[in-house]
Amino acid sequence: MFSFFNESKPASVIEVTGGVAIGIFVTYIMTYAPEIFSGAHSIDFSYLSNLLLLGIPVIIYGWFQSEKVRQRAR
């Protein structure tokens, strides 16, 4: 859809997973920033597991897109 902006390059699964992990980390930190900075924070495993579950389809989609680009490059 946005390929006219720049050519997409193949990304490895490690890069996709790293991007999702950074997104999960930033989302968690921004959600609980007031509690973290006040020192009254305990880890919310329910919220963290929901973020991880949301990350799985993103990783699968990223892997699918990278394989599609790799096959086009052959």
Side-chain angles (χ1 to χ4, degrees):
M1 181 164 108
F2 294 107
S3 63
F4 58 89
F5 288 117
N6 56 11
E7 194 62 38
S8 44
K9 65 174 186 125
S12 68
V13 177
I14 299 294
E15 291 173 334
V16 171
T17 305
V20 169
I22 290 169
I24 289 171
F25 179 73
V26 169
T27 302
Y28 188 86
I29 294 295
M30 294 304 288
T31 302
Y32 289 109
E35 288 182 17
I36 292 170
F37 292 133
S38 70
H41 180 67
S42 60
I43 298 175
D44 185 359
F45 289 107
S46 175
Y47 184 65
L48 199 55
S49 67
N50 286 335
L51 288 175
L52 290 171
L53 286 174
L54 285 172
I56 291 171
V58 173
I59 291 172
I60 292 170
Y61 178 76
W63 176 78
F64 174 74
Q65 289 298 319
S66 68
E67 287 299 315
K68 198 162 78 169
V69 169
R70 278 195 190 121
Q71 287 179 359
R72 259 191 276 148
R74 290 183 192 171

